[in-house]
Amino acid sequence: MNKPYLSALPTDSQISSQLNNAYFHDSWSIVLGQPDLNVFQQLIKLFQHTPEWIEWSMNMRNKITSKIGLKDLGSFKQIDTHKKENEYVAGDRIGIFTFLQRTENELVIGDDDKHLNVTLSIYKNEKTKVLTVTTIVHIKNWLGRLYMLPVIPAHRKIVPATLQILG
């Protein structure tokens, strides 16, 4: 089984311009175990097989942060399984994120609220069969900065743990 590793944002990613002034960003890659799945199918597989400890953590996050004015993001596994890939349009929810845009080899998802803006790129390199997930966070105020204190170390555990299932 392939292991996730820290990497760089692909140079032709749709979100490369968002790196400027980012409070936080990282990229994690993995050589795909099922390279025949397209980038959208990889994302759905990733969300549908999110480890239970991560789902539990999201549930706790939602309970705690709703008390301080952050929205309940729901669950990674909240995916409309009846909806076909080509039926997703900008603004639709996929798991805890909003679908923003897509190209043949990249999906851009994210979440924007009054405290921070999170954007993710899920990028599949067809030649190398490597999938790269890049997260970029821009904070808007002190609550966003406070929120990121526990999120950054958790994020560094969550992303590779979820990517592991794609290897």
Side-chain angles (χ1 to χ4, degrees), residues 58-72:
M58 279 304 298
N59 187 35
M60 293 307 298
R61 175 250 176 239
N62 290 332
K63 286 179 181 177
I64 293 167
T65 59
S66 66
K67 293 177 182 357
I68 60 169
L70 294 175
K71 63 184 168 186
D72 182 329

Side-chain angles (χ1 to χ4, degrees), residues 10-28:
T11 54
D12 60 338
S13 171
Q14 301 297 306
I15 68 169
S16 54
S17 65
Q18 294 183 32
L19 285 176
N20 296 334
N21 302 314
Y23 180 78
F24 172 82
H25 69 88
D26 69 1
S27 296
W28 287 87

Side-chain angles (χ1 to χ4, degrees), residues 107-148:
L107 294 174
V108 179
I109 59 177
D111 197 63
D112 190 14
D113 67 23
K114 59 185 173 184
H115 307 295
L116 49 84
N117 180 299
V118 179
T119 306
L120 281 83
S121 160
I122 299 86
Y123 185 100
K124 182 182 177 194
N125 184 316
E126 291 293 341
K127 281 186 181 174
T128 63
K129 307 302 182 200
V130 169
L131 186 93
T132 301
V133 175
T134 300
T135 305
I136 299 175
V137 178
H138 290 271
I139 58 169
K140 298 178 181 179
N141 55 35
W142 68 270
L143 190 54
R145 189 177 308 274
L146 182 64
Y147 175 77
M148 288 303 293

Side-chain angles (χ1 to χ4, degrees), residues 25-70:
H25 69 88
D26 69 1
S27 296
W28 287 87
S29 295
I30 191 161
V31 177
L32 293 166
Q34 286 186 288
D36 53 313
L37 299 178
N38 68 33
V39 68
F40 189 87
Q41 293 164 331
Q42 298 287 349
L43 177 66
I44 297 302
K45 180 181 176 184
L46 187 77
F47 282 2
Q48 286 179 330
H49 296 93
T50 299
E52 286 305 314
W53 69 267
I54 295 172
E55 287 293 313
W56 181 87
S57 298
M58 279 304 298
N59 187 35
M60 293 307 298
R61 175 250 176 239
N62 290 332
K63 286 179 181 177
I64 293 167
T65 59
S66 66
K67 293 177 182 357
I68 60 169
L70 294 175

